[in-house]
Amino acid sequence: MNMRNFLLRTTCMVFALLCVNVLSAQDLWDRYSVASSFHDGEGTEANPYQIRTGAELMYFVNMVNAGNDFKGKTVKLMNDIDLNNDNFSISKPFAGSFDGGGHILTMMVGVSSDNQPFTDVSGRIHHLGFVISMKNQYNGVYYGYISVVGTLKESGILEDIHYTVNYSADIFYYQPALAY
């Protein structure tokens, strides 16, 4: 192989690796930071509020928990986000549209009543994946539930939601549920 072919192939491989890194962007949240705004967007379907980091996700969570139900607004996840062995729970009603963009939220949950990220939904949550790890146990037995939504109102819509649960235990009781 001559030097020109070698340089051409090396350049192509480096470019391909850079493309893979850009296309598989994932944010690892530091477990403390909260952004002061969304990354971008106006909240419309054509130009949704954009969440690119864990800090921006927590900004969104805080906004909803403060009473902003996002009715008529669209929020879109732009990257996979790893919540760094933590989770989130929106305790107030959400009436907007949350488009996961085909991305994944990686989170840890314990055995409690607040295992659902969205507690009360009358809006739409779609194109979203979860990788969930269980953490609490009682005498070597994991138990509890995992759900995306606590209460799905009649007008609420869940579409294209998927999740993977990681656990290890001697005995594991698990019943997947999307809504109660």
Side-chain angles (χ1 to χ4, degrees), residues 4 13 59 66 71 98 108 117 129 132 160 164:
R4 182 177 171 188
M13 284 192 300
Y59 171 75
K71 186 171 186 159
F98 190 95
M108 176 85 72
I132 301 170
D160 189 24
T164 300

Side-chain angles (χ1 to χ4, degrees), residues 121 123-126 148-149 152 156-161 178-179:
V121 174
R124 180 178 181 216
I125 301 171
H126 57 111
V148 174
V149 173
L152 184 64
I157 299 170
L158 295 180
E159 271 181 325
D160 189 24
I161 304 293
L178 288 179

Side-chain angles (χ1 to χ4, degrees), residues 8-64:
L8 181 61
R9 288 182 183 183
T10 303
T11 303
C12 289
M13 284 192 300
V14 169
F15 180 74
L17 288 173
L18 288 174
C19 288
V20 167
N21 282 336
V22 168
L23 293 175
S24 63
Q26 181 180 38
D27 179 71
L28 179 63
W29 184 47
D30 65 12
R31 299 181 72 184
Y32 303 103
S33 62
V34 177
S36 58
S37 66
F38 291 108
H39 179 80
D40 199 5
E42 298 174 353
T44 64
E45 191 171 339
N47 188 15
Y49 294 128
Q50 297 177 13
I51 296 175
R52 295 184 185 274
T53 67
E56 291 167 2
L57 178 64
M58 291 307 137
Y59 171 75
F60 166 70
V61 169
N62 288 346
M63 294 271 299
V64 178

